[in-house]
Each structure stands twice: as structure tokens, then as C-alpha cells.
Amino acid sequence: MPTATFTSDDTYDDGRAFNDSVTLTWAQIRDGAGNGAQTNVGTTQYAFLQAATTSNRWDSDYRGIFTTDSSSLTAAANISSAVFSFYPTAKTNDFTSGLSMILAAPAATDTFVSGDYDNFTFTKQATDLAISGITTSARNEFTLNATGLSNISKTGASKFGFTTSHTADNSEPTWASGQPDSGVSWENRGGANPPQLIVTYTVGGYLGWGYANTGYW
Amino acid sequence: MALMFTAMSRQFKNGIMAIIYTLKNEIGVFEQSLEGKDNHTKRQLKAKLLAEAGLPSTFQYKNYTITVTDSPHTRDSLAGGQGEWLEVSVEAVDNNTNQSILVDNPLQWQNPYFKVHDGTYYKETIPVIGEVDVKNLVENPLEAFKEQIGYIVDLVARGKIRGGQS
């Protein structure tokens, strides 16, 4: 059973879509349109939520996007397990949040636009990682659940998203003054430890690209 | 937006961890050679670079002894794309327990990285969070390959992905 590692590149990129420096209600910032996006932006927040200075309003919600060309698996592949691996560099956790792996559906995989912000589906692709438990300066992993495995494309681009658990769960944190925030920054595809989607799989009656039990490998 | 400042490295000096900043590294010769090429060609060249990096038959990664059982090579995928994949098969042993790590071979990378941390850092500023240390990278395909193999072994050893299904 082969173990294949996929990463982002120029055509299937990583980045983020966001609302930044706004003063919106929870419903507006969670379900409304975004005001910006960045592609291949480097080490930065790929999931971030911040309170506004105005009571019960929200200033920022950043959502990460990871895309990769997984078409070489082909429709014949049976995926048995997968992890999304990433390398956090910093975190904040004023709201005692989790980091959620969700689905992204950017209009294009090579350049993200603000319109991608409200094209996330908040279905969990893996069990949340508590931000308190995330280790910076080390690889951390989401282990994909059955839904996540089913959303690895075997014929095209796999597209995953990341956000705080408050946004994913539509659970408004308790607003407080001083602009508290929760979020995680990590290295992108240009870093020393780029995000990776690592998949174990079989192909039909074959094991990967070799015949099973033939000693081909 | 993250802004680049100067950088640093961590070195033990008289028992104290010293931090030295340097500028962000310029891109290397191989990376320059990728400029202007399409993604398929980039994948091919990266796979070839690592396949020919001189991976030793046995090496250490963290507390694992890793033995190469099928030499690194490039290969096509079922979906097309000539030589786009880097592939190798390995066996691994946990040095602490002397237990085998049952890796699912072959290990494959579609777009392997070829740069590693050179020990120095530069700083970027992230809004709200502030300055963070960013690793300076240098082209070193052999070490990058070892790191990528070792990480898969470590994932299996930690039970993060299914192993031993070969």
C-alpha cells in the first residue's frame, strides 16, 4: 500500500480569504462576504478570529485554503488513511478555541479572491485540534475522518479549508474589550516545512503502481 | 501582510542560546532553473533532483534507523505526467525499542521539497501576532529527502497514518 505525499504549487496553491478590519455582527462576519484574499502569502495566520473595538462586533475572520493536484491517484484508488500536516509558527487563544479542518471551494486554485470567503463548507474533515494543544515549531497533523477521506479528489484538485472552531461551529465567542483573538499561523508551501496531504491507498487489484505480491517493488 | 526584516540563527555559545539575525537567503541555482517552467516540468525536475541526490542505503532520522530497500527513482503516474513522481521504499527500526516501523511502501512524493533550514532565521511581522522567526532555507536535496522519508516513518510510528498494510 503506497504512501503518497501531495503539496501545493503554482497551479494548486495555498493561501487565505478573509474579512479584515471590519465591524460586523457575528452573523455578518461568519456568513457574509469577505473583503480580501491572498495567495502563496508565506508564514501567516491561516485561521484567525478577532473581536472589534465595538461591543459585540467582530474585526477579523481569516480562513486558510490548501489545494493540491491529487488527480494522479485516479478513480481506481481506494484511500485508506490520510493526514494533513502543517507547521505552526505562532498561535493565540484568547477565546479557548479549536482549529477546524473544513472544505474550501475557491473559484480558482491558483489565485484566491475575496469571493472565496463565503465558499467554505463548515463540515469537519477531521477532529478539531485544540489550539492549546498545538505545538509551534513542529509538525502537527489532522487525521482525516471518513468525510475528509471522501473529499480527497482522485481525479482532480483536493481543496481543504481551515478556520477557528467558533466559526466552523457557528459559536460566537463572548466579546470582550481589548480586541482579543484566537488563531494559528503556519508555514506555507514556500517554507521549510510546507503543508502536506499524506495519503495511503491501493489501486484496484494492484498495490499502487505495482502488482501485488509479485515482488515488483 | 508579513514584512521581512533581518534574521537570526540559534547557536549555543558558552552554554547560552544565542540568536543571530541575517538577511533572507537569495534563491538558489536549482530554484532559479525552475523559473518559467510549467508545473509538470517542475515536478519532474524536483523528483529527478532528489532521486539523484545520493541517498545512502542506511541513515538515521530522530531515533529511527532507516534502510533503503528500493533505490530512489522517478516514475510516471497512472494519470499521466512522465517522471513526475519521486519514489523509494524503506524499512525502519525504532532505536529505542528495536521494533520495526511498518511503513507502507513505496513512499511517493509528487512535488517534493528540496530546501532545508540552514540554521539561520529572519523575521517577519504578522499582523496582531507580531514578529515571528522564519527559517532561512538552503538547497540541500539529500537532507530534504531524508527529512521527508523520516517524517513518514515518524508518522507511522506515532500511529498517525496506517502502517504495515503492504
Side-chain angles (χ1 to χ4, degrees), chain B residues 39-104:
Chain B
N39 265 9
H40 293 293
T41 304
K42 287 179 180 176
R43 291 173 185 171
Q44 285 178 334
L45 293 172
K46 289 179 187 178
K48 186 171 185 291
L49 178 74
L50 268 67
E52 297 174 353
L55 186 70
S57 57
T58 301
F59 62 95
Q60 303 291 317
Y61 176 83
K62 292 187 175 177
N63 57 316
Y64 309 113
T65 298
I66 298 171
T67 302
V68 177
T69 58
D70 185 24
S71 299
H73 51 271
T74 63
R75 66 171 305 119
D76 305 343
S77 76
L78 289 175
Q82 293 182 335
E84 284 195 4
W85 281 84
L86 170 67
E87 188 171 272
V88 68
S89 294
V90 302
E91 294 176 348
V93 174
D94 185 328
N95 297 335
N96 294 335
T97 64
N98 209 31
Q99 297 291 309
S100 293
I101 309 299
L102 301 177
V103 178
D104 279 335

Side-chain angles (χ1 to χ4, degrees), chain A residues 31-49:
Chain A
D31 297 321
N35 68 1
Q38 293 169 312
T39 310
N40 189 21
V41 68
T43 300
T44 192
Q45 303 116 320
Y46 291 99
F48 182 70
L49 179 66

Side-chain angles (χ1 to χ4, degrees), chain A residues 1-3 5-11 38 45 69 72 83 85 87 141 181 192-193 201 209 217, chain B residues 1 39 42-43 75 78 85 87 104-106 108-111 126-129 135 137 151 158 160 162:
Chain A
M1 181 180 296
T3 305
T5 300
F6 299 91
T7 55
S8 298
D9 58 28
D10 293 341
T11 307
Q38 293 169 312
Q45 303 116 320
D69 175 13
S72 51
V83 298
S85 168
Y87 193 95
E141 297 94 11
D181 56 74
N193 304 276
Y201 70 98
W209 294 309
W217 303 111
Chain B
M1 247 327 251
N39 265 9
K42 287 179 180 176
R43 291 173 185 171
R75 66 171 305 119
L78 289 175
W85 281 84
E87 188 171 272
D104 279 335
N105 285 308
Q108 305 164 330
W109 293 265
Q110 186 179 46
N111 184 35
I126 297 176
V128 180
I129 289 180
K135 295 169 183 169
L137 304 182
Y151 177 60
R158 289 189 286 123
K160 291 288 185 178
R162 195 174 296 177

Side-chain angles (χ1 to χ4, degrees), chain A residues 22-113:
Chain A
V22 294
T23 306
L24 299 174
T25 65
W26 177 254
Q28 288 170 331
I29 200 164
R30 191 220 183 231
D31 297 321
N35 68 1
Q38 293 169 312
T39 310
N40 189 21
V41 68
T43 300
T44 192
Q45 303 116 320
Y46 291 99
F48 182 70
L49 179 66
Q50 184 177 37
T53 55
T54 304
S55 178
N56 294 318
R57 294 291 186 273
W58 298 93
D59 178 277
S60 302
D61 187 343
Y62 283 71
R63 301 168 185 175
I65 302 170
F66 170 85
T67 71
T68 190
D69 175 13
S70 48
S71 63
S72 51
L73 288 169
T74 78
N78 297 305
I79 296 170
S80 58
S81 68
V83 298
F84 176 80
S85 168
F86 65 111
Y87 193 95
T89 55
K91 62 180 184 178
T92 58
N93 196 20
D94 293 333
F95 301 127
T96 314
S97 310
L99 179 64
S100 299
M101 183 172 180
I102 56 175
L103 273 184
T109 59
D110 59 349
T111 305
F112 305 127
V113 296

